[in-house]
Amino acid sequence: MNVYEIKSMAERLDGNTYPGRGIVLGVTADGKKAVAAYFIMGRSVNSRNRVFIQEPDGIRTEAHDPALMKDPHLIIYHPVREVGRGLIVTNGDQTDTIREFLEKGLPMEQALRTRQFEDDGPNWTPRISGLQSPDGSYKMNILKAADPEGTACARFTWEYPAIPGLGHFLHTYVCDGNPVIPTFQGEPERVSIPADIDAFTEELWTNLNENNKISLFVRYTDLETREVEQRIINKHC
């Protein structure tokens, strides 16, 4: 077994109908650009009724059709927000919790000790979070149920250096499931990071399950000039 094996996102997503929501952080092979990506998927009408909207400091989710929105508390949030020269990427409103702590000089881990997995039993969807630093290094975190009843929270954080061509992929679910969707297991998966933002965006969007994919955000940041390129794709345009 090669524990250092790097796979493309196409390989990581191949045949997986429902990885849920996913975060990718990494650095291009030339070491010049930090890369962040976030996608959402959904099975219910409420989950599928969303689009990404660009904000001055990142993006937010919004109901595509407000008349179909039933319960916004796990659906509407800011997945991506800048903080100083860094970038927060999460799958929920813990984005704002992390930003509040960072602005006080406190670490992401401390912020996430005040939060836990989502209150959507029996799935207890994990909260996944990432923090990209100005030098391209990054942290990733998952908060997940420690037992089937959701009585306690298990917390894991990983910290990665900026290695050219390498990224990590963290997602909420292993795969689809019925009645319970299995939560992500193990360390974030090692993935290759293409040099071209459009190639990476296409690779991600094409390989997400057609029935369940909803929206995708991709951002490339030049580590020297801080110039930013971004792409947003919404299934509901």
Side-chain angles (χ1 to χ4, degrees):
M1 178 182 181
N2 179 9
V3 297
Y4 297 109
E5 182 180 14
I6 300 174
K7 293 185 177 182
S8 68
M9 281 302 300
E11 292 174 302
R12 292 295 187 192
L13 294 170
D14 183 40
N16 191 344
T17 59
Y18 203 64
R21 284 165 276 173
I23 296 171
V24 181
L25 297 177
V27 179
T28 53
D30 58 11
K32 293 182 177 180
K33 295 181 180 180
V35 175
Y38 177 64
F39 65 79
I40 57 175
M41 306 181 79
R43 303 192 306 174
S44 68
V45 172
N46 201 41
S47 291
R48 291 178 173 178
N49 181 38
R50 290 181 287 174
V51 292
F52 284 165
I53 302 296
Q54 187 167 330
E55 290 281 309
D57 66 344
I59 59 171
R60 61 181 169 85
T61 60
E62 183 177 279
H64 172 63
D65 181 351
L68 296 177
M69 180 60 65
K70 294 181 179 179
D71 181 5
H73 91 284
L74 295 177
I75 300 298
I76 303 302
Y77 56 93
H78 289 80
V80 179
R81 299 197 102 156
E82 295 174 354
V83 56
R85 297 172 66 216
L87 191 72
I88 307 166
V89 185
T90 89
N91 72 328
D93 63 10
Q94 72 267 28
T95 305
D96 297 327
T97 306
I98 295 170
R99 189 173 73 160
E100 289 169 8
F101 274 67
L102 292 175
E103 288 175 343
K104 296 175 183 177
L106 301 172
M108 178 180 79
E109 295 91 328
Q110 188 169 342
L112 290 170
R113 288 189 194 107
T114 70
R115 305 300 304 269
Q116 65 171 18
F117 49 86
E118 296 182 354
D119 57 345
D120 62 342
N123 290 318
W124 309 121
T125 300
R127 289 190 184 272
I128 56 174
S129 305
L131 178 61
Q132 189 176 68
S133 298
D135 65 356
S137 63
Y138 49 96
K139 295 179 180 180
M140 304 186 92
N141 174 282
I142 188 168
L143 307 176
K144 52 192 288 187
D147 56 40
E149 295 74 33
T151 63
C153 182
R155 306 170 187 277
F156 303 88
T157 301
W158 299 270
E159 188 168 353
Y160 297 106
I163 297 178
L166 176 65
H168 286 85
F169 175 35
L170 179 61
H171 42 108
T172 52
Y173 303 124
V174 175
C175 57
D176 207 346
N178 186 18
V180 178
I181 314 174
T183 60
F184 182 86
Q185 300 292 308
E187 184 180 342
E189 299 161 349
R190 294 164 64 89
V191 296
S192 57
I193 303 293
D196 182 74
I197 187 173
D198 290 316
F200 194 41
T201 302
E202 177 67 19
E203 179 184 6
L204 286 164
W205 189 249
T206 300
N207 287 284
L208 289 169
N209 179 264
E210 182 64 31
N211 292 327
N212 295 322
K213 66 185 180 183
I214 301 170
S215 297
L216 169 66
F217 169 85
V218 181
R219 170 173 165 140
Y220 277 45
T221 304
D222 190 293
L223 292 171
E224 182 177 349
T225 67
R226 310 308 302 173
E227 180 181 354
V228 170
E229 284 188 275
Q230 296 185 159
R231 302 289 185 268
I232 294 175
I233 300 178
N234 290 309
K235 191 171 185 178
H236 302 298
C237 297

